[in-house]
Amino acid sequence: MFDMQPCEKPDAPFVADAYAASAARTVTRMGRVTVTEGRIGDDWAALLIRVRDDRDEAAFAALFRHFAPRVKGFLMKSGASAALAEDCAQDVMAVLWNKAHLFDPARASVATWVFTIARNRRIDALRKARRPEPEDLPWGPEAEPDQQAALEMQQDTERLGEAIARLPEKQRVLIERAYFGDLSHTEIAAETGLPLGTIKSRIRLALERLRHKMG
Amino acid sequence: MTMTIKHHISDALLMGYAAGQLPEAFSLVVATHLSLCDDCRARFAGYEAVGGAVMECAGAVAMSEHSLAATMARIRSAPAPVSRDAPRRMGIFPAPLAAMVGGGPEAVKWRSIGMGVRQAILPTENGARARLLHIAAGQKVPDHGHRGMELTLVLQGAFRDETDRFGPGDLEIADEDLHHQPIAEAGEDCICLAATDAPLRFNGLAARLAQPFLRI
């Protein structure tokens, strides 16, 4: 149905190149987040943090080039026309700019965060429905972000993407259909065999630290 | 949160919620449980990450030529986003439920449905129905089965049925195979948030006759 492999990042070298200088500055702020054996995927978080902290339009442009077409593709596979998907993808990227202060790299990768914005936009635009959200926890980006946790979260998410790409096609297509909104809630079966345990443990630990601090 | 939760959200429901595919009444129950349960919140993060990976790798579609400039113009021309106060917990009602009810337990307009049970139907969209149930301590709920799925989240007190005991924060997921007669434990009255995607199947004649009026 949809070929997920290989998961290309054609614009990544451009990002790495154009942002060498800014990345160096970001290192001071974010410590190890950007300096990981040239793993390009890690840079999205650094770019979004530049949008968050410095309102950096060039960093936003790089995020836009990578994520906007993916949001558009995701929405089209969810049943939106090209025109509606284009319009919603622009909205999603505007939300990314406006809500960048809510992004916490220790909790989610940029791809995950963009997905949640796109999903909510899809529910508004295509299903015209509401989706109650869990209670907010006062665990927004901390003044001193846990840099190791942030790095590991980005890496876990990359590994998850690789694991999905390696799944037998039938299973992979079912997961994709669930997320494209092609399966009803009674048709979704979640026995994916995906390595979700590490992400779960990481968030669980972060929550325990938070509860401890609040307690 | 010192609540000891034993009965959690299923993987399928967590994935459905992460994918944005649940009817509003079910989303309300899941969001309310997630507000009480760090374990499920952490599992949920995993399913959102799957969504990120699917979107990342499922194929890009080129944006129109001036889309970046158009988006920057949108950002510049839009009024600064209003930062709304996040909905807050009200007593035993976690934020998503308090937002739906428009307040805490005291704001609920209960309606007696007889047999020591009161209910309040919540204003969710069509497709599945959510209600609050108030069951007097020690009271039995009429014996029933399910045509679809019934989610019952305990907010106060506890109930028991043929399968187990359900206390605060516990979620019972009942499907077509489960036929049960929940009984509220002695002590505190039991308050639950319940959602169904099809009418229940009552055994007793009285409950069956009353069903259209009770909208259960």
Side-chain angles (χ1 to χ4, degrees), chain B residues 86-100:
Chain B
R88 281 178 308 134
R89 184 174 295 218
M90 310 279 275
I92 57 166
F93 289 2
L97 178 57
M100 178 67 70

Side-chain angles (χ1 to χ4, degrees), chain A residues 7 66 77 87 122 127 132 135, chain B residues 17 19-20 56-58 74 95:
Chain A
C7 182
H66 181 78
K77 279 168 187 149
D87 185 55
R122 182 183 79 194
R127 286 183 51 204
E135 209 158 272
Chain B
Y17 182 65
E56 179 74 28
C57 296
R74 241 178 235 211

Side-chain angles (χ1 to χ4, degrees), chain A residues 185, chain B residues 22-27 122-131 149 194-198:
Chain A
H185 69 278
Chain B
L22 299 190
E24 188 185 7
F26 283 9
S27 289
L122 300 177
T124 53
E125 74 198 31
N126 294 337
R129 182 164 278 163
R131 71 190 68 236
M149 192 187 277
T196 47
D197 59 1

